[in-house]
Amino acid sequence: MMRPYVIVNCAMTPDGKIAGRERRQVRISSQEDLERVKKLRASCDAILIGIGTVLADDPHLTVKDLPPEKNPLRVVLDSNGRTPDHAKILNQNAQTLIATSEDCKKTWKNAEVVRFGKGRVDIEQLLSYLYSKGVRKLLVEGGGEVIWSFFKEDFIDRYCVFIGDFVLGGRDAPTPVEGDGFPDHQPFRLKLIDVERLGNGILLIYEAARNVE
Ligand SMILES: NC(=O)c1ccc[n+]([C@@H]2O[C@H](COP(=O)([O-])OP(=O)(O)OC[C@H]3O[C@@H](n4cnc5c(N)ncnc54)[C@H](OP(=O)(O)O)[C@@H]3O)[C@@H](O)[C@H]2O)c1
């Protein structure tokens, strides 16, 4: 299958949380990290998030200062069409693609809709479709359920995690990779390729071990 190169980027606290127990957006990135993410976004053809993140954070997912035609395509995994009509991801500042399951009928103004898979969006079909549209570099920004699906199906090439400087705690606070998890004896192997201090935090960049061994 031809698919884009897939980069995951997220920010977590030193205790491994990507949001607090209220599951709302928390700014974990330092200013330096925000600058890096801006460049990373601009270098990608598309940016993907799950409906959980749309509902929790209502992000616009655009690169400030870039005109709409230069902004990466915004992609939402939304099996049942729960993206609100007023969500910022549907604004005019970039193009938007909403991927639903085959049985969903919902449509949106300002968004292309594709329907892949039964029950949940079939990521393999979506990646193949994105590739056919010219997407060669895809940035997956979360949340934990979506990142887990990409790991589980072995579609991740690069994993970037910024670690900030405050603790949130909370047994129910979300982490970068959720889902059912891998069996203890079969973790997803990564290779650490770079480490960088960015202000009050640290950036870790890993490549999937299969890509470097
Ligand atoms: N710090 C950071 O870097 C960062 C970044 C992003 C998000 N967050 C945080 O993460 C939290 C949201 O994460 P989340 O895990 O609840 O939601 P999520 O990963 O954004 O979205 C998960 C939802 O996506 C839908 N989906 C459709 N197809 C899927 C597939 N094949 N695999 C997985 N999911 C699929 C499912 O809902 P349906 O079944 O309805 O389709 C699923 O429940 C929020 O608290 C947000 O603040 C933090």
Side-chain angles (χ1 to χ4, degrees):
M1 192 247 316
M2 299 297 273
R3 65 159 176 88
Y5 180 83
V6 176
I7 302 171
V8 169
N9 186 73
C10 65
M12 71 176 187
T13 60
D15 58 321
K17 314 294 185 191
I18 59 168
R21 63 186 194 181
E22 291 158 54
R23 302 186 79 87
R24 298 248 172 76
Q25 189 169 33
V26 181
R27 188 184 138 181
I28 298 169
S29 287
S30 61
Q31 195 53 43
E32 292 84 343
D33 189 52
L34 292 177
E35 288 300 316
R36 174 195 65 90
V37 174
K38 188 174 166 188
K39 286 191 200 122
L40 176 63
R41 281 184 175 182
S43 76
C44 291
D45 304 304
I47 307 174
L48 180 147
I49 57 172
I51 180 63
T53 300
V54 172
L55 295 175
D57 302 353
D58 193 20
H60 49 74
L61 229 59
T62 48
V63 184
K64 251 194 217 138
D65 313 327
L66 276 190
E69 66 279 9
K70 289 266 167 67
N71 252 295
L73 174 70
R74 301 175 290 194
V75 183
V76 185
L77 290 189
D78 180 11
S79 320
N80 305 303
R82 292 189 289 147
T83 301
D85 291 324
H86 53 79
K88 292 203 186 93
I89 205 155
L90 294 169
N91 69 20
Q92 308 277 9
N93 302 348
Q95 289 192 308
T96 305
L97 175 75
I98 299 185
T100 75
S101 65
E102 284 162 18
D103 19 84
C104 176
K105 302 271 188 295
K106 174 94 170 104
T107 57
W108 293 263
K109 233 166 100 181
N110 300 331
E112 178 190 347
V113 182
V114 287
R115 311 200 192 271
F116 296 122
K118 305 232 181 290
R120 263 209 171 165
V121 180
D122 184 315
I123 298 179
E124 181 168 354
Q125 287 178 42
L126 174 64
L127 287 180
S128 172
Y129 175 76
L130 288 173
Y131 190 88
S132 77
K133 269 178 77 93
V135 174
R136 296 293 180 268
K137 216 166 146 189
L138 172 69
L139 181 61
V140 174
E141 291 204 2
E145 286 300 328
V146 162
I147 296 175
W148 158 251
S149 284
F150 275 81
F151 268 119
K152 188 178 89 180
E153 298 197 36
D154 198 13
F155 291 141
I156 289 176
D157 296 295
R158 181 162 287 208
Y159 177 66
C160 308
V161 57
F162 176 82
I163 305 174
D165 65 350
F166 56 84
V167 167
L168 281 165
R171 67 181 68 81
D172 296 325
T175 68
V177 189
E178 307 243 283
D180 294 333
F182 292 107
D184 291 358
H185 62 286
Q186 262 177 344
F188 187 101
R189 299 242 169 240
L190 301 168
K191 181 121 184 167
L192 183 64
I193 57 165
D194 205 2
V195 178
E196 194 183 347
R197 183 177 177 139
L198 290 173
N200 291 335
I202 188 161
L203 172 69
L204 303 176
I205 301 182
Y206 297 90
E207 187 79 7
R210 79 170 121 70
N211 286 356
V212 278
E213 279 168 6

